[in-house]
């Protein structure tokens, strides 16, 4: 038979004897259209995925692009070469500066020409003195808006430096004042300011009015001695002053202002603490005081940095020598006020900045090299000046070669670097109030300004993925906190806790879902009748249609309270349900064949469901019993909880740590004390068993927890060993005895199995308790919305995916392989496990990987069923935060193109990469399985 040119099918004998229907051209057309549509759709999907990937990369890339610097104002002379300049302050828009001289004189000068005045000429000036005497000591820092001056009679004047400004409409500003002109007192008063300043155009519709501000209060007396060195800082309403006098004495003072709740004049509290210096007053070059006046730091001529503890009577805490030494060593507090920056020089003569933490929490002695939190190596020469930003953890350093570098301390990253052109004449560096500019002054009195584009300074590879030592913390850690509670606090953007939370949620969900899904697939594909299979599979697949938000709602308002109220029973159910099913399997093996055949079809499924129900009921009965046996406080626990203890300094028999650093020993009370302790125990019901209180660390030891953890694995191991070494030898024997005997033997074997598992678990618990406490790992403080709840509900969401794909993979195994195995004498279970399961391994692995990807990207269940706290521990009773949940919570509130916004896109990119890696690995493993089984 062949086809003619006209499409008609003929035979060689009679080509017209049989006519075939001609294929319509529309069929060919539709075939081509379908091919084009399918191909185009596939390419469109690939292009969309590629476009999403490119967009994510484009959004995230600026996080790692760094910053830049550009000269904004050419050098302007603001002082004579011989003037002794103490510090500088710039206004918010870097159009003017305040200059402070050591003799107390100050001036506000413009950095640009203004009307009849030239750049650098003073606008307004004044003097800070006390009864006509100039200051003998200053405590001011470039850009820091407060300072103090000390005088020869022991007096101190505290004040503020800065600029006030506001926007004004055109009708509020006189025409002659509209070109960055100098205004006198009268026009400034007309627009709401007192004093002299200037007016500059802000935009096309408004003007900006700027007035310098230098406000110093009345003098406070520290005695009748001349103040040689002074350190001053402000923390809210509390002010700290450290002073070194010309006679070598030193003291630290705190001034705290409180306002009565009922109103009235504020009250000022003054506290004085003397300090004994270990160096001469002539050798002190720098003096700093920490918050709450706890620590005082001195830097001498040789570069020795020494800390004095005011709460310990002025004793020396630690001291360290910086490499540069000499008069030029800069020292300054970071913005949070808990990290001290010290400029040093390295062995190769390059500059470096060391940072020291002034905290004691977590480090009782806080001494030695662990106090240094970081060392940032610069490429400049020895450091001449150091200035910090008031807005964030940015600081700038000026080297002896005139090079300026701008750093972000938290990110440990250099933002920008430039050559100021001052060379060896560099004298002072200042960070503008908005941290968008840096001013550099040389020895001749010239100031130049550089605009800084910081980019996303707080984001770097180290701050996003590594351990960071944040201000106020005892050590480096992974922390995610995208918003700060105050200006002193800093945002913490490490996404490692989010990645850990994603992995944690996925692991616990898969531990619950994978075994159930695969075992259910084995049962339905190999052991049930086709009629039952047609009912079970659609029913399980129907579970996949449940929306995530519904499952999250059920988890938060149904499952979580139930787990809280029945916690022991829930944990015990993970053991009782499998045990009851195993016992039921023993009884089924002993059941006569004529009775077993009556349960073919759906009868077996009913029996399995009944066994699960019995296991759940057994957990509700045995849970409280196990809680009473393992988690009841003993007498020593009761005494500690009732407060009948004595403190000890060193560990001794019976001692326990009830809080950080405090060791106690329980004491048996007598007489009236015994009655009070008994009343406290009865009133607080302290003697009641409580697994939740044990988890919270109120009482108990590690053995009970390890016993609970080890029983399940011990039971599995004992069961496998029994099946391996005892099951085969007793199988033939069981065939020769009657049904009652087989039933009794089956029950006895199960009881012995449980007893042996209990003994093994107890031995393992005793051994493990000598090494650690499970409350430091998988157990810990109990939170109602925890990982256990999320694992259960996410498992319910993932089970249908794993089950469906696994069932399809196993049913696609050729029936000839099953027949060959059964014909060789294998049982149906042996055939399923040793023949069908390996052949379908690629499909089952793909099912687990697809379920894993579903769990990785889950959002609503995690969002509603956990505390949404970015923690990093494996405690199954604590919460966590995943990458997907973090994006859902914070993206609506993140300003577009901000650092926070781009970090959230980085979370999405990491999630994309994570799922891509999982799917790629799954495909490679699946292909390997297929090649291995290709010949079957």
């Amino acid at each position: 038979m062949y086809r003619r040119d006209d499409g008609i099918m003929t035979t060689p004998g009679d080509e017209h004897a049989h006519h075939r229907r001609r294929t319509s051209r529309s069929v060919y057309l539709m075939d081509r259209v379908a091919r084009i549509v399918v191909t185009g759709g596939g390419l469109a999907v690939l292009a969309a995925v590629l476009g999403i990937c490119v967009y994510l990369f484009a959004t995230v890339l600026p996080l790692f692009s760094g910053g830049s610097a550009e000269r904004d104002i050419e050098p302007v002379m603001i002082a004579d070469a011989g003037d002794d300049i103490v510090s500088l302050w710039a206004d918010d828009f870097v159009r003017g500066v305040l200059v402070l001289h050591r003799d107390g004189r100050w001036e506000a000068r413009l950095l640009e020409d203004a009307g009849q005045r030239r750049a650098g000429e003073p606008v307004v000036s004044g003097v800070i003195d006390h009864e006509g005497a100039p200051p003998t000591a200053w405590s001011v820092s470039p850009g820091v808006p407060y300072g103090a001056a000390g005088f020869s009679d022991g007096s101190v004047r505290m004040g503020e430096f800065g600029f006030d400004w506001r926007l004004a409409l055109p009708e509020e500003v006189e025409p002659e004042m509209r070109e960055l002109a100098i205004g006198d007192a009268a026009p400034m008063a007309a627009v709401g300011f007192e004093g002299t300043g200037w007016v500059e155009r802000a935009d096309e519709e408004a003007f900006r009015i700027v007035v310098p501000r230098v406000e110093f209060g009345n003098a406070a007396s520290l005695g009748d001695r001349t103040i040689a060195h002074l350190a001053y800082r402000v923390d809210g309403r509390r002010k700290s002053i450290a002073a070194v006098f010309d006679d070598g004495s030193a003291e630290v003072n705190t001034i705290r202002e409180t306002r009565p709740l009922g109103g009235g004049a504020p009250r000022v509290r003054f506290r004085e603490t003397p300090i004994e210096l270990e160096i001469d007053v002539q050798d002190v070059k720098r003096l700093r005081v920490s918050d709450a006046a706890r620590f005082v730091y001195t830097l001498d001529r040789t570069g020795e940095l020494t800390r004095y503890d005011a709460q310990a009577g002025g004793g020396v805490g630690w001291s360290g020598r910086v490499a540069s030494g000499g008069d030029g060593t800069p020292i300054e507090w970071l913005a949070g006020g808990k990290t001290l920056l010290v400029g040093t020089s390295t062995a190769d003569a390059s500059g470096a900045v060391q940072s020291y933490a002034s905290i004691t929490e977590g480090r009782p002695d806080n001494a030695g090299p662990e106090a240094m939190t970081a060392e940032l190596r610069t490429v400049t020469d020895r450091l001449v000046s150091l200035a910090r930003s008031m807005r964030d953890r940015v600081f700038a350093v000026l080297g002896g070669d005139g090079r300026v570098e701008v750093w972000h301390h938290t990110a440990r990253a250099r933002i920008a670097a430039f050559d100021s052109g001052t060379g060896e004449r560099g004298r002072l560096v200042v960070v503008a109030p908005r941290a968008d500019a840096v001013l550099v002054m040389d020895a001749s009195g010239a100031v130049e300004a550089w605009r800084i584009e910081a980019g996303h300074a707080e984001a770097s590879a180290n701050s996003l993925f590594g351990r960071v030592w944040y201000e106020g913390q005892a050590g480096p850690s992974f922390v995610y906190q995208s918003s700060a509670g105050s200006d002193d606090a800093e945002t913490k953007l490490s996404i490692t806790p989010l990645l850990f939370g994603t992995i944690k949620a996925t692991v616990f969900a898969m531990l619950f879902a994978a075994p159930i899904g695969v075992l259910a697939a084995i049962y339905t594909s190999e052991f049930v009748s086709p009629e039952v299979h047609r009912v079970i599979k659609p029913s399980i697949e129907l579970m996949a249609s449940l929306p995530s938000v519904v499952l999250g709602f059920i988890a938060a308002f149904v499952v979580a309270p139930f787990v809280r109220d029945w916690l022991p029973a829930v944990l015990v159910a993970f053991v009782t349900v499998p045990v009851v099913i195993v016992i039921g399997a023993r009884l089924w093996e002993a059941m006569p064949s004529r009775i077993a055949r009556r349960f073919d079809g759906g009868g077996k499924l009913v029996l399995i469901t009944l066994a699960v129900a019995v296991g759940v009921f057994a957990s509700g009965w045995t849970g409280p019993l196990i809680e009473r046996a393992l988690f009841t406080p003993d007498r020593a626990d009761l005494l500690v909880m009732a407060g009948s203890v004595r403190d000890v300094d060193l560990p001794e028999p019976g001692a326990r740590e009830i809080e950080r650093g405090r060791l106690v020993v329980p004491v048996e009370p007598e007489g009236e004390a015994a009655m009070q302790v008994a009343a406290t125990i009865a009133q607080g019901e302290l003697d009641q068993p409580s697994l939740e209180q044990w988890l919270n660390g109120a009482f108990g030891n590690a053995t009970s927890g390890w016993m609970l953890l080890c029983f399940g694995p011990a039971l599995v191991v004992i069961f496998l060993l029994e099946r391996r070494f005892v099951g085969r030898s007793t199988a033939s024997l069981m065939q020769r005895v009657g049904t009652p005997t087989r039933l009794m033997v089956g029950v006895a074997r199960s009881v012995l199995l449980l007893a042996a598992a209990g003994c093994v678990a107890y031995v393992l618990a005793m051994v493990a308790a000598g090494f650690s406490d499970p409350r430091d790992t998988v157990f810990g403080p109990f939170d109602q919305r925890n990982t256990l709840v999320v694992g259960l509900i996410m498992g319910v969401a993932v089970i249908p995916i794993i089950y469906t794909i696994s069932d399809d993979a196993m049913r696609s195994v050729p029936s000839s392989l099953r027949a060959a195995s059964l014909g060789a004498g294998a049982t149906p279970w042996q055939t399923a496990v040793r023949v069908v399961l390996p052949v379908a391994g690629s499909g089952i692995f793909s099912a687990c990987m697809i379920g894993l990807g579903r769990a990785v990207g889950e959002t609503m269940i995690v969002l509603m069923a956990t505390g949404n706290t970015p923690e990093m521990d494996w405690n199954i009773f604590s919460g966590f935060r995943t990458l997907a949940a973090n994006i859902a919570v914070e993206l609506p509130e993140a300003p577009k193109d901000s650092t926070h916004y781009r970090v959230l896109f980085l979370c999405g990119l990491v999630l994309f990469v994570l799922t891509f890696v999982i799917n790629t690995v799954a495909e490679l493993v699946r292909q390997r399985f297929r090649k291995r089984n290709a010949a079957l």
Side-chain angles (χ1 to χ4, degrees), residues 724-810:
R724 175 69 175 81
F725 297 103
V726 181
R728 293 183 180 180
S729 61
T730 58
S732 58
L733 179 63
M734 295 292 289
Q735 298 297 329
R736 297 194 295 269
V737 298
T739 300
T741 303
R742 290 201 299 269
L743 292 174
M744 293 176 60
V745 172
V747 173
R749 288 172 62 185
S750 300
V751 172
L752 292 176
L753 184 70
L754 293 174
C759 294
V760 173
Y762 180 75
V763 173
L764 294 176
M766 293 294 291
V767 174
F771 294 95
S772 64
D773 193 319
R775 286 172 289 189
D776 297 330
T777 51
V778 295
F779 287 163
F782 180 82
D783 186 4
Q784 177 175 326
R785 297 185 178 184
N786 51 54
T787 306
L788 178 62
V789 174
V790 175
L792 293 174
I793 298 301
M794 282 183 61
V796 172
V798 173
I799 282 175
I801 299 175
I802 298 178
Y803 164 77
T804 299
I805 301 177
S806 299
D807 180 80
D808 292 340
M810 297 182 71

Side-chain angles (χ1 to χ4, degrees), residues 349-486:
S350 62
V353 177
Q354 295 177 348
S355 57
Y356 294 86
S358 64
I359 58 174
T360 57
E361 181 182 357
R363 276 183 276 119
D365 55 354
N366 194 29
E370 68 271 17
M372 187 173 72
T373 62
E375 183 176 27
L376 308 178
R377 298 295 184 94
T378 68
V379 296
T380 64
D381 198 348
R382 63 178 183 84
L383 301 186
V384 174
S385 178
L386 187 152
R388 50 106 165 187
S389 166
M390 292 297 296
R391 297 171 62 95
D392 48 28
R393 271 54 181 179
V394 170
F395 66 91
V397 294
L398 172 63
D401 55 359
R403 185 175 178 82
V404 177
E405 294 188 6
V406 184
W407 286 75
H408 194 285
H409 181 267
T410 302
R412 308 293 194 265
R414 183 187 293 109
I415 299 174
F418 59 90
D419 190 351
S420 65
T422 60
E424 297 181 355
R425 298 177 295 107
R427 181 175 180 182
L428 196 65
V429 63
V430 181
V431 179
R434 296 189 175 187
D436 58 350
V438 170
L439 283 75
V440 184
M441 187 183 75
D442 61 17
S444 66
V447 170
E448 60 184 60
W450 291 73
R451 286 290 173 182
I452 303 298
E453 178 58 44
H456 304 279
E458 61 268 45
S460 67
N462 179 67
S463 63
L464 292 172
F465 298 99
R467 292 181 181 270
V468 179
W469 196 329
Y470 298 101
E471 280 196 278
Q473 293 189 352
S477 59
F478 297 105
V479 182
Y480 182 86
Q481 183 181 349
S482 58
S483 60
S486 65

Side-chain angles (χ1 to χ4, degrees), residues 203-464:
D203 51 38
E204 296 295 331
E205 300 179 355
F207 292 88
R208 187 183 300 117
I209 303 169
V210 184
V211 175
R213 174 173 49 85
V214 178
E215 298 177 352
F216 270 69
N218 297 327
S221 178
L222 302 183
D224 56 359
R225 299 158 293 178
T226 300
I227 299 177
H229 300 279
L230 193 65
Y232 172 67
R233 67 177 295 162
V234 179
D235 300 289
R237 295 181 179 176
R238 181 172 51 199
K239 302 174 182 178
S240 304
I241 302 175
V244 176
F245 303 96
D246 60 349
D247 60 0
S249 60
E251 64 181 42
V252 60
N253 303 269
T254 57
I255 304 173
R256 186 175 181 86
E257 182 180 291
T258 59
R259 298 183 182 275
L261 295 178
R267 300 175 182 176
V268 178
R269 296 181 180 180
F270 189 88
R271 187 184 67 184
E272 175 183 333
T273 304
I275 296 176
E276 295 184 5
L277 299 181
E278 292 193 341
I279 58 176
D280 294 335
V281 64
Q282 295 82 4
D283 293 330
V284 177
K285 300 307 298 180
R286 299 285 188 274
L287 186 68
R288 293 293 183 268
V289 61
S290 70
D291 58 340
R294 171 69 189 274
F295 300 122
V296 175
Y297 297 85
T298 62
L299 187 70
D300 62 18
R301 295 179 183 275
T302 64
E304 186 78 15
L305 179 66
T306 307
R307 189 195 73 184
Y308 299 88
D309 191 344
Q311 294 185 7
V316 178
W318 56 260
S319 62
R321 185 179 302 278
V322 295
S324 61
D327 297 348
T329 302
I331 178 173
E332 188 55 74
W333 287 107
L334 204 58
K338 291 181 172 59
T339 301
L340 189 65
L341 302 177
V342 181
T344 69
S345 293
T346 59
D348 57 356
S350 62
V353 177
Q354 295 177 348
S355 57
Y356 294 86
S358 64
I359 58 174
T360 57
E361 181 182 357
R363 276 183 276 119
D365 55 354
N366 194 29
E370 68 271 17
M372 187 173 72
T373 62
E375 183 176 27
L376 308 178
R377 298 295 184 94
T378 68
V379 296
T380 64
D381 198 348
R382 63 178 183 84
L383 301 186
V384 174
S385 178
L386 187 152
R388 50 106 165 187
S389 166
M390 292 297 296
R391 297 171 62 95
D392 48 28
R393 271 54 181 179
V394 170
F395 66 91
V397 294
L398 172 63
D401 55 359
R403 185 175 178 82
V404 177
E405 294 188 6
V406 184
W407 286 75
H408 194 285
H409 181 267
T410 302
R412 308 293 194 265
R414 183 187 293 109
I415 299 174
F418 59 90
D419 190 351
S420 65
T422 60
E424 297 181 355
R425 298 177 295 107
R427 181 175 180 182
L428 196 65
V429 63
V430 181
V431 179
R434 296 189 175 187
D436 58 350
V438 170
L439 283 75
V440 184
M441 187 183 75
D442 61 17
S444 66
V447 170
E448 60 184 60
W450 291 73
R451 286 290 173 182
I452 303 298
E453 178 58 44
H456 304 279
E458 61 268 45
S460 67
N462 179 67
S463 63
L464 292 172

Side-chain angles (χ1 to χ4, degrees), residues 526-563:
E526 303 300 320
F527 296 99
V528 302
S529 62
E531 294 78 10
V532 176
H533 183 270
R534 284 194 292 269
V535 175
I536 293 178
K537 187 173 182 180
S539 301
I540 297 179
E541 291 175 345
L542 190 63
M543 293 169 53
S545 64
L546 291 175
S548 296
V549 66
V550 175
L551 293 176
F553 180 85
I554 294 173
F557 295 99
V558 178
V559 178
F562 179 83
V563 171

Side-chain angles (χ1 to χ4, degrees), residues 19-88:
H19 295 276
R20 302 298 182 188
R21 183 178 180 180
R22 179 181 298 177
T23 302
S24 174
R25 293 185 177 180
S26 62
V27 174
Y28 292 107
L29 178 61
M30 294 301 297
D31 181 69
R32 293 178 181 178
V33 171
R35 185 181 297 110
I36 293 174
V37 170
V38 172
T39 303
L43 293 176
V45 171
L46 293 177
V49 173
L50 182 61
I52 292 174
C53 186
V54 171
Y55 179 75
L56 288 175
F57 273 106
T59 307
V60 170
L61 190 61
L63 288 175
F64 307 97
S65 61
S68 61
E70 182 179 358
R71 188 189 296 272
D72 183 45
I73 297 177
E74 296 294 332
V76 176
M77 298 297 298
I78 63 170
D80 296 332
D83 288 351
D84 192 358
I85 305 298
V86 179
S87 189
L88 287 177

